[in-house]
Amino acid sequence: METFDRIEDIEIRLLLEALYHRYHYDFRNYAMSSIRRRLRQAREQMGVATISALQEAVLHDPDMLPKLLRYLTVQVSEMFRDPGYFRAIREKVVPHLKTYPSLKIWIAGCSSGEELYSFVILFREEGLEERTIFYATDINPDALAQAEAGVYQVDRIRLFTENHRRAGGRTSLSDHYRSGYDRCVFDRSLRRNVVFSDHSLVTDQVFGEMQLVSCRNVMIYFDRSLQDRAVGLFREALPRNGFLGLGAKETLRFSRHADAFRDFVREEKIYQRTGT
Ligand SMILES: C[S@@+](CC[C@H](N)C(=O)[O-])C[C@H]1O[C@@H](n2cnc3c(N)ncnc32)[C@H](O)[C@@H]1O
């Protein structure tokens, strides 16, 4: 049996139970150290004395939920994040994808859309956009709304542009957005083939067969059992030779499903589904 040595840990576990039973958001098997850190921040910044007080508030006031989700889900992202990953997608994966008449791509844990737009722009540059449906999913409704809007602070564009160039971009990033005041608005045509959807890797099922799943910097927040669950979903969604891309700090090496994948571009954490 698990022992709790701190009152705070008891409170955290009770809060996570409460969130699950009241709202069906299941953070119970997320990595505890990160959840603890983030709930402490929430407690301090919301000016409440204890985690139990947070629980009381969120149980009785649904307006508290989005506020708490902002702390519980990490939203750090950037366009063409880790340019080497997107360069490998362009140079090594795209030639395979070009052999398919139609494609389905799943960006799981898409946050505010930076990863999604990176894929759509890359696919447009490579002549694949028209035959592709992109599924962009996340559990945070505010992040999904931002992804649908495609609006970013102008001071982020320099980094996005540099990443795009390093990812082997064939166009200028500025071809794809309009800027005004302190914002950049990405071209609405980039969303033509995109389906945005609320989907949890922890509680939901697979919704179709995909040729590529990109799930970057999401599973680092999960414990081993959840990581296995998520990879199990990707295994189910991918046919033989389908591709799975993970974040720089993530690996399939310790997964229960490791045998169902082979390294495709090892240094960029891109895997290919085997026949098993
Ligand atoms: C650090 S962001 C990663 C964003 C993007 N994939 C990237 O690498 O730039 C992590 C995202 O995972 C989402 N997330 C957390 N738990 C999830 C779950 N159970 N199912 C789907 N997405 C989840 C969060 O809401 C957040 O948007």
Side-chain angles (χ1 to χ4, degrees), residues 30 73-78 81 109-111 115 138-140 199-202 216-218 221-222:
Y30 280 49
T73 62
V74 179
Q75 297 299 329
V76 180
S77 190
E78 62 193 54
R81 184 180 196 176
C110 67
S111 187
E115 185 182 352
D138 203 280
I139 56 165
N140 186 316
H199 178 278
S200 171
L201 296 167
V202 175
R216 312 198 68 218
N217 310 299
V218 180
Y221 302 106
F222 294 175

Side-chain angles (χ1 to χ4, degrees), residues 13-75:
R13 288 187 189 275
L14 292 172
L15 168 61
L16 300 184
E17 279 301 324
L19 273 177
Y20 178 64
H21 290 288
R22 174 81 164 90
Y23 300 107
H24 214 66
Y25 276 99
D26 193 354
F27 292 99
R28 293 175 299 177
N29 289 312
Y30 280 49
M32 187 59 172
S33 55
S34 150
I35 288 283
R36 189 186 293 125
R37 195 167 52 244
R38 304 193 67 78
L39 283 176
R40 278 182 188 160
Q41 272 173 16
R43 186 180 59 65
E44 278 161 28
Q45 288 174 23
M46 291 181 184
V48 291
T50 61
I51 304 279
S52 302
L54 271 183
Q55 177 189 316
E56 155 89 20
V58 77
L59 269 178
H60 296 286
D61 178 4
D63 292 344
M64 275 290 291
L65 179 66
K67 291 185 192 139
L68 205 54
L69 282 182
R70 233 166 276 155
Y71 290 96
L72 285 168
T73 62
V74 179
Q75 297 299 329

Side-chain angles (χ1 to χ4, degrees), residues 89-154:
I89 296 280
R90 188 190 297 278
E91 291 174 357
K92 310 251 168 65
V93 177
V94 160
H96 290 265
L97 298 182
K98 281 189 170 162
T99 65
Y100 291 85
S102 67
L103 295 164
K104 286 184 178 167
I105 307 297
W106 180 11
I107 316 295
C110 67
S111 187
S112 34
E114 291 88 335
E115 185 182 352
L116 166 73
Y117 289 108
S118 311
F119 268 100
V120 182
I121 290 167
L122 191 154
F123 274 44
R124 183 173 284 189
E125 289 172 340
E126 299 299 329
L128 283 177
E129 185 196 7
E130 291 305 325
R131 67 177 98 159
T132 306
I133 299 178
F134 301 88
Y135 294 90
T137 64
D138 203 280
I139 56 165
N140 186 316
D142 289 345
L144 274 176
Q146 273 188 43
E148 277 203 75
V151 179
Y152 302 101
Q153 290 293 328
V154 79

